[in-house]
């Protein structure tokens, strides 16, 4: 009974922490099942994951002016600071490369053929 209560309290605290409607704060969320990356002020809906069933969202951090790329799953995002390492679709920890500050110049990586700004 104690474990169930502790689990419920932890879930509610995490929901409040990561879903609290702070005005103007946009956050990065990624589904660990289908790799979908969403920028939203609130936790996205868990319905209709393209891999079947529900999305499993992980909070990666606030949207910001720094570009990061995961070495494992190739997720590219703009974040205020280094993103969380939890929730990589490869079932390993996200391993972030800092690519630099967001700007107007476009770069092409010859190895991965992605475009970075």
């Amino acid at each position: 009974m104690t474990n169930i209560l502790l689990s419920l309290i932890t879930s509610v605290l995490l929901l409040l922490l990561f879903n609290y409607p702070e005005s103007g704060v946009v956050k990065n969320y990624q589904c660990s099942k289908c790799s979908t990356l969403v920028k939203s002020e609130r936790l996205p809906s868990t319905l209709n994951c393209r891999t079947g069933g529900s999305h499993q969202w992980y909070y990666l951090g606030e949207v910001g002016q720094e570009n990061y790329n995961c070495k494992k799953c190739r997720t590219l995002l703009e974040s205020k600071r280094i993103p969380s390492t939890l929730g990589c679709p490869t079932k390993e920890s996200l391993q972030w490369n800092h690519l630099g500050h967001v700007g107007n110049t476009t770069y092409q990586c010859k190895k991965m053929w992605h475009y970075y700004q």
Side-chain angles (χ1 to χ4, degrees):
M1 183 71 171
T2 305
N3 287 342
I4 294 171
L5 185 59
L6 183 60
S7 177
L8 180 62
I9 291 170
T10 303
S11 296
V12 169
L13 288 174
L14 286 172
L15 182 64
L16 290 174
L17 179 64
F18 295 124
N19 203 27
Y20 186 74
E22 300 173 59
S23 178
V25 177
V26 181
K27 301 170 188 170
N28 289 302
Y29 294 94
Q30 184 174 29
C31 176
S32 63
K33 290 172 60 180
C34 68
S35 304
T36 299
L37 182 66
V38 174
K39 295 178 183 180
S40 176
E41 289 184 23
R42 295 184 162 270
L43 187 66
S45 170
T46 59
L47 299 175
N48 301 322
C49 183
R50 68 174 181 245
T51 63
S54 299
H55 284 288
Q56 293 179 355
W57 296 113
Y58 281 84
Y59 170 72
L60 300 179
E62 290 181 23
V63 173
Q65 294 294 309
E66 299 299 320
N67 284 318
Y68 289 91
N69 179 252
C70 176
K71 295 177 189 178
K72 297 289 182 181
C73 67
R74 305 276 193 246
T75 296
L76 176 65
L77 60 84
E78 296 172 355
S79 185
K80 203 172 203 178
R81 55 186 120 309
I82 191 160
S84 170
T85 59
L86 299 176
C88 188
T90 65
K91 307 301 179 216
E92 298 181 31
S93 294
L94 290 156
Q95 295 182 2
W96 297 108
N97 260 341
H98 181 241
L99 301 176
H101 192 72
V102 174
N104 295 330
T105 307
T106 302
Y107 297 93
Q108 181 178 6
C109 176
K110 293 179 181 177
K111 185 175 182 181
M112 297 188 315
W113 298 102
H114 289 291
Y115 290 93
Y116 303 111
Q117 291 192 26

